Amino acid sequence: GEVLDANPIDYGHGFPLLVTNGSVPVLAFWDTSGASILRLNANGDVIDSQPIAITTHTPGGLAAATNGDEFVLAWSESAEALTHIYAVRLSSSGQPIDSAPIAIDTGSRSALGPAIASDGRDFLIAYSDPKIVTKRLLASGSLVGSTAQDEGVVVDSDKGSSPAIAWNGSGYVIAWSISQDEEWTVAW
């Protein structure tokens, strides 16, 4: 690869995440004021004059995926003594579809570290609570087979963290970390 911009632009925000549907790159980031996005053109120039706010809460993690058309951003957010998972859908042009975030997990245990992938239509969100759990989010914005209050599909009942997820063309592949005897291993 070749560096195309020898003088990178400082947008003044932290923890970047970049995702594209093939025509619109979306730069998501979070800082103490919450999570926002900036849409970019093919040259990497910012389209928006101001960041588009996704949430005003400071997220504990941010994940993004596209189904080739629309985008979904998921994050963990502290509420009282627990941390919950929320998501928002963005149109193919990067504009928010949902007027309020979609609750993915607001159950009685803290949910952390969301990861998200798409099968080209819908989305699968994986996170730890501290088990590794998944929930399927339809492109329409509704959860399938679970609610924000229930546990979803438990992939591993041991204490896991930092899930990663991808679609391999016929199914989802999920990997995560497990702490055993003060050493970390990867499982899938």
Side-chain angles (χ1 to χ4, degrees), residues 25-152:
V26 172
L27 173 65
F29 53 88
W30 63 274
D31 55 24
T32 56
S33 63
S36 301
I37 64 163
L38 287 170
R39 296 172 302 146
L40 310 174
N41 65 22
N43 295 326
D45 299 320
V46 176
I47 296 171
D48 304 299
S49 60
Q50 294 291 319
I52 299 169
I54 300 301
T55 179
T56 56
H57 299 278
T58 303
L62 187 61
T66 180
N67 60 9
D69 186 32
E70 297 175 343
F71 304 90
V72 171
L73 272 65
W75 66 92
S76 56
E77 181 177 297
S78 294
E80 300 172 17
L82 298 174
T83 302
H84 300 303
I85 305 290
Y86 294 91
V88 66
R89 296 174 304 137
L90 305 175
S91 69
S92 60
S93 65
Q95 290 290 335
I97 295 172
D98 306 300
S99 59
I102 301 165
I104 303 299
D105 188 300
T106 57
S108 60
R109 68 226 163 267
S110 282
L112 303 167
I116 185 168
S118 175
D119 61 5
R121 185 182 66 202
D122 300 315
F123 300 85
L124 192 67
I125 299 172
Y127 54 92
S128 61
D129 77 347
K131 299 175 287 299
I132 301 298
V133 178
T134 63
K135 289 191 178 177
R136 188 168 162 225
L137 179 67
L138 295 179
S140 66
S142 59
L143 291 172
V144 175
S146 62
T147 69
Q149 292 294 314
D150 68 29
E151 190 165 58

